[in-house]
Amino acid sequence: MSTEKLAAFFKEGSLFSNLSAEELTQLAQIARERRFDRNQILFYEGDLGGSLYIIVSGTVKIVIMSDDGREHILGLLHSGDFFGEISLIDGEPRSATAIALDKVSVVMLSRDDFVRLLRENPEMPLKIMVTLCERLRKTDKHVESLAFLSAPGRIAQVLLNWAEAENQQPDAEVTIPHKMTRQEFASIAGTSRETLTRVLMDFQDEGLLTLEKNKIHLHQRARLREKVV
Ligand code: CMP
């Protein structure tokens, strides 16, 4: 991407919007671009953190993994989102693994450049804190659902979240985001693939939804909401 295009991309995003045109150009000149294919690992949990990542296009899933290779998705990040800040700020290893969910293009800033930007731009630490707070709130909600909801309740909740993100129609077709596999869907709902399949079939038998390829047609959102227990 040209320096001008990259500077314009930085200007659009909330993190760097307060920088002057000159600072944005400088930032675009020092940032490194990298591309990743679907399923490629950007970094592993436990790696030493070297850079801040900003997503230009595509989706990155942030996961933690069990010793036997099962993954739990902590979050999905999209164009304009940044990640990799935690280990740069606290100097500890990466707190989670980052994997490309589809074709992903990122720009990377070295730790030194990131720290210099934080020092020189007093509003930037606050913006990062706001994002960290949003992520903490989301994670708290997720922990709440893992702690208190049944597996069907968690699956219903994920479907309702996707439906709400897509549209406000009461009777909605929900596209499973990013051609996500059943395993990834199950991981977001904090359940196994087998349980997910069984619960979706039960919901279908009850007339709450129809399963289609990469799509789930929700028929009765109000009744699905009753399953969130
Ligand atoms: P870092 O620890 O450097 O590397 C992993 C990154 O994943 C971390 O920085 C954050 O940017 C990001 N991350 C960690 N936990 C979450 C979460 N719960 N939701 C979204 N992003 C996260």
Side-chain angles (χ1 to χ4, degrees):
M1 205 191 291
S2 68
T3 305
E4 294 75 38
K5 276 198 178 150
L6 202 48
F9 167 75
F10 284 139
K11 173 110 193 104
E12 268 171 39
S14 62
L15 190 54
F16 304 111
S17 55
N18 292 69
L19 300 193
S20 69
E22 197 185 322
E23 286 169 322
L24 287 167
T25 306
Q26 277 175 8
L27 185 60
Q29 281 165 344
I30 54 174
R32 277 187 303 137
E33 271 185 88
R34 271 198 73 182
R35 285 167 203 280
F36 297 87
D37 286 325
R38 174 170 166 80
N39 290 333
Q40 223 181 323
I41 311 269
L42 285 75
F43 56 71
Y44 286 98
E45 177 181 353
D47 284 354
L48 290 180
S51 308
L52 178 79
Y53 291 68
I54 301 134
I55 304 175
V56 177
S57 60
T59 300
V60 170
K61 61 177 177 175
I62 303 290
V63 306
I64 43 175
M65 285 196 202
S66 65
D67 289 344
D68 58 2
R70 279 173 301 137
E71 69 176 41
H72 182 82
I73 300 180
L74 293 175
L76 296 177
L77 304 177
H78 311 280
S79 175
D81 289 339
F82 64 85
F83 61 96
E85 75 295 341
I86 292 181
S87 54
L88 298 193
I89 293 170
D90 68 10
E92 296 286 324
R94 294 291 190 197
S95 60
T97 298
I99 306 176
L101 198 55
D102 43 26
K103 273 194 183 306
V104 165
S105 163
V106 295
V107 280
M108 297 161 66
L109 282 182
S110 72
R111 181 174 195 278
D112 287 351
D113 289 326
F114 175 57
V115 171
R116 186 177 49 77
L117 278 168
L118 288 179
R119 291 225 166 90
E120 290 173 0
N121 299 279
E123 65 294 323
M124 207 183 276
L126 191 61
K127 288 182 178 178
I128 291 186
M129 279 163 68
V130 169
T131 303
L132 290 176
C133 292
E134 274 169 17
R135 289 181 189 166
L136 184 59
R137 278 181 189 277
K138 247 193 201 166
T139 302
D140 287 354
K141 278 263 165 258
H142 189 57
V143 171
E144 189 183 339
S145 88
L146 289 180
F148 300 126
L149 295 183
S150 62
R154 297 199 293 273
I155 292 164
Q157 182 72 71
V158 170
L159 287 169
L160 289 165
N161 288 348
W162 284 343
E164 267 148 37
E166 265 186 41
N167 63 60
Q168 299 301 319
Q169 310 287 326
D171 181 22
E173 210 167 66
V174 175
T175 311
I176 298 181
H178 320 292
K179 300 201 173 82
M180 213 177 256
T181 62
R182 277 284 164 97
Q183 184 61 61
E184 285 164 339
F185 182 173
S187 159
I188 287 191
T191 187
S192 66
R193 205 182 51 202
E194 293 74 18
T195 303
L196 173 74
T197 302
R198 183 175 47 73
V199 169
L200 288 176
M201 299 298 273
D202 287 349
F203 285 172
Q204 180 164 252
D205 290 346
E206 289 177 50
L208 299 178
L209 49 80
T210 307
L211 300 169
E212 292 162 24
K213 194 173 187 299
N214 287 333
K215 266 194 186 154
I216 296 178
H217 199 106
L218 301 186
H219 300 301
Q220 303 193 43
R221 259 201 244 179
R223 277 190 56 213
L224 192 60
R225 208 160 277 124
E226 288 168 14
K227 297 281 178 188
V228 182
V229 283

